[in-house]
Amino acid sequence: MSAFKSKYQDELIANAAYIGTPGKGILAADESTGTIGKRLSSINVENVESNRRALRELLFTTPGALQYLSGVILFEETLYQSTAAGKPFVEVLKAGGVLPGIKVDKGTVELAGTNGETTTQGLDGLGQRCHKYYEAGARFAKWRAVLNIGPNEPSQLAINENANGLARYAVICQENGLVPIVEPEILVDGPHDIEKCAEVTERVLAAVYKALNDHHVLLEGTLLKPNMVTPGSEAKKVAPEVIAEHTVRALQRTVPAAVPAIVFLSGGQSEEEATLNLNAMNKLKGKKPWSLSFSFGRALQQSTLKAWAGKEENIPKAQAALLTRAKANSEATLGTYKGDATLAEGAAESLHVKDYKY
Amino acid sequence: MSAFVGKYAEELIKTAKYIATPGKGILAADESTGTIGKRLASINVENIELNRQALRELLFTSPNALSCLSGVILFEETLYQKTSDGKPFVEVLEENGVVPGIKVDKGTVELAGTNGETTTQGFDSLGARCSQYYKAGARFAKWRAVLKIGPTEPSELSIQQNAQGLARYAIICQENGLVPIVEPEVLTDGPHDIKKCAAVTETVLAAVYKALNDHHVLLEGTLLKPNMVTPGSDSPKVAAEVIAEHTVTALRRTVPPAVPGIVFLSGGQSEEEATFNLNAMNKLEVLKPWTLSFSFGRALQQSTLKTWGGKKENIGKAQEAFLARAKANSEASLGNYTGGSGTGLASESLFVKGYKY
């Protein structure tokens, strides 16, 4: 095979397929300490370990929510945390049929000579780290590559560097038993139209899959986490059906059928937007040999965060908000979402922050 | 779009989809004058235009055979030929729901500094030629790139050159209304096992689709004509199911769902082998977002040729032989072939070492 044969081969294939189970998706709860700090400060909560732990406990113990999830991406600190009662989060998730995942990249750095384009770091010692995470219970990983659209962007250099980085990360994960989620995010920032986003997305994804092939990655044991194809943040909005059509077409032109599932990032979309768009994609008729689901961070947690506001007495309300979004997105993966999820405060709020730094 | 959407875009998509109709496939009857000469010589028939015309007329007027076909690839000479009654071949095909296609490459030349690896020529005035062929009724084209497996082959140079060549050819076709069949043939010659063939096929196909993307080719308006994934010619044979599994896995890993159909070449396989392998692929229970069919030359014509022997009195029987293969492959493209059609001729290997087309 042109794919390398990992001793974890069967497990990787089974786990990747499981994550793509129709009706389920991923909660991206892997905000780094710095990033979660911004979220907490937006609700006037201090960025200390106990609060970070409390927030994640709130999410993972929401009654009835785990059934809508096949995976949760964690930050390293969280992988080793427990509930207040002392039960490791990893066990809580496993008991709920949810695979624990781990963010393994170490953020982006600028590429000299470009107009602020970046590459992602984290390859040093990555093998050993993945091995450790596997021992701690993680079964998939995530690495975020970032590109942007501009007059001269993304440059060939940015595309090549990021595609290569994703491929190196992916094969190292597979060597160590972790299913790599491949995330080549093209930022929504800009005045460009949806056609431009489609063109760039197709070019980037083609480069990514060529790189994965070059590096002997086993596609059946990977997942893709792309942006949806949308107009730029400063351009006029379009209907979910238009987003669905452009997105699915871009994927049909670039993502081989061997990839079991595609789990979209939400970018700066509001909770409701992201759900409606995902739903439209699953209603679309056409060839979709991979399942289409979600890997949402902000678009799953926004209203929950606001409802919680750091207060113990708000936990049930906050958990109800998460359950609502999780259920809505589960339905969206089946194309059955009717748009009737009670919109909690903030669900329709755009989560776009210009030039958002994670 | 990253794909170029020219004035023929809708037509290309429609034509490609039609050629990929389940239950139909392609007859590759595009042997150049030199190559058809070898075929005719093998049945002691003189290589003159009259005989070349007679053979193709035999094929295209075989009762009921055309319903098994969605396309026929022609050599330039044949595109302009007629039946003995004076009816243009192109019309005969069109009236029977068969799309005429045209071979547009001009053969291979060696890449200096390699171990006999080649690239394909044919770019000069290709756009103008395609435009002419379109006027003559052609609606798809074919260009054959050739790679081989060896200790140091295929080389990176050979992969790059052939992938780039296929992509340039493809976009020029689309600019001129022809659906390009993209054919990156990895030869069977050699002692390698099926896993080696699979690895090479996947590497080559990945390079091809990257090149097609770079050149803005509209995938929905193309077809792929790959080799099946098999052991090398000097290696022990394996069951059809094994070939099917390795082939479909390789395609699932490299061919985007936007491609409507995959039409296999038969290489040196016997008529029956090729049909059984195609059948096994269509029976395989795994998700296949493109149709899997045939674009066979030798594997559709071998017994027909032998039965004809160049004699008018054999035409009826020869046409029956052709219908039998066409029908068998049509069934195989639906996973319904139960075997046993045709004569012993159907099991004869058509492998010729280092075969030069």
Side-chain angles (χ1 to χ4, degrees), chain A residues 229-242:
Chain A
V229 175
T230 69
S233 54
E234 293 155 41
K236 273 201 327 226
K237 286 204 181 287
V238 299
E241 290 67 34
V242 178

Side-chain angles (χ1 to χ4, degrees), chain A residues 195 202 220 252-253 256 258 287, chain B residues 1 220 252-253 257-258 289:
Chain A
E195 305 289 331
E202 288 173 27
E220 294 87 338
Q252 284 172 339
R253 288 173 172 179
K287 290 190 284 188
Chain B
M1 295 302 122
E220 293 87 339
R252 275 170 50 84
R253 288 173 173 179

